[in-house]
Amino acid sequence: MNQQGETVIDFIYDDAWGFGEGLAWVVQERADGKGLGLDVYFIDEKGNRVFDVPKDVSSMVMVFNDGLYMVKKDGRFGYVNKEGELAIDYQDYDYVEGFQYGLNVVTKNDKEGAIDRMGNIVIPIKYDNIEYVDKH
């Protein structure tokens, strides 16, 4: 629904998250003759299906940050862009934050560092703690 209370996207989803950067994560029960199951995908603000979330990944975050969506596969973290393509290959981090200001804090072996939007380590993973600071 929009701010005027008008239905913009039909109520057809079993679960959904709010929009972030123009896309929303949704879940819909599949009833296509191939058996029961769930389709998980992103839609745009008109309700158009943009891309499916790969079945072999999990995620802790359902929104985009700086144009990237974090996914986890076989215990490794990677990032998908708004076209559903793997933008940053899977890496062996213990934990990752969401991107802010073009950087993402990553943790490995109880030490923190940061990667850029290309997946390059730009702050060495050797610090006890790294915090995001407002750029103003």
Side-chain angles (χ1 to χ4, degrees):
M1 298 186 85
N2 64 16
Q3 293 179 343
Q4 291 74 36
E6 303 163 328
T7 300
V8 178
I9 299 172
D10 292 331
F11 295 96
I12 59 171
Y13 304 106
D14 296 295
D15 197 2
W17 283 72
F19 281 92
E21 298 187 17
L23 298 174
W25 179 91
V26 297
V27 177
Q28 188 176 28
E29 187 172 334
R30 185 178 340 114
D32 57 7
K34 297 178 186 176
L36 296 177
L38 298 175
D39 284 332
V40 181
Y41 53 98
F42 279 90
I43 60 171
D44 63 19
E45 292 174 337
K46 294 181 180 177
N48 299 312
R49 191 173 187 148
V50 177
F51 72 88
D52 292 0
V53 174
K55 304 272 187 242
D56 61 344
V57 303
S58 62
S59 178
M60 300 176 352
V61 179
M62 293 4 177
V63 296
F64 278 83
N65 286 323
D66 278 3
L68 297 171
Y69 167 70
M70 187 273 300
V71 291
K72 190 173 183 182
K73 179 178 179 180
D74 299 326
R76 302 174 78 206
F77 294 94
Y79 288 86
V80 173
N81 64 23
K82 289 185 177 183
E83 288 75 42
E85 303 161 335
L86 188 63
I88 299 176
D89 203 5
Y90 297 97
Q91 301 294 320
D92 290 317
Y93 298 123
D94 299 328
Y95 184 75
V96 298
E97 302 280 337
F99 274 90
Q100 292 185 34
Y101 313 119
L103 296 176
N104 186 3
V105 174
V106 297
T107 304
K108 188 171 186 173
N109 299 324
D110 293 323
K111 295 296 181 183
E112 294 185 348
I115 60 173
D116 65 13
R117 293 177 36 81
M118 302 301 291
N120 301 311
I121 296 173
V122 294
I123 299 175
I125 304 171
K126 64 179 187 177
Y127 298 98
D128 292 333
N129 186 43
I130 294 178
E131 300 277 336
Y132 291 105
V133 178
D134 190 343
K135 61 183 176 180
H136 295 286

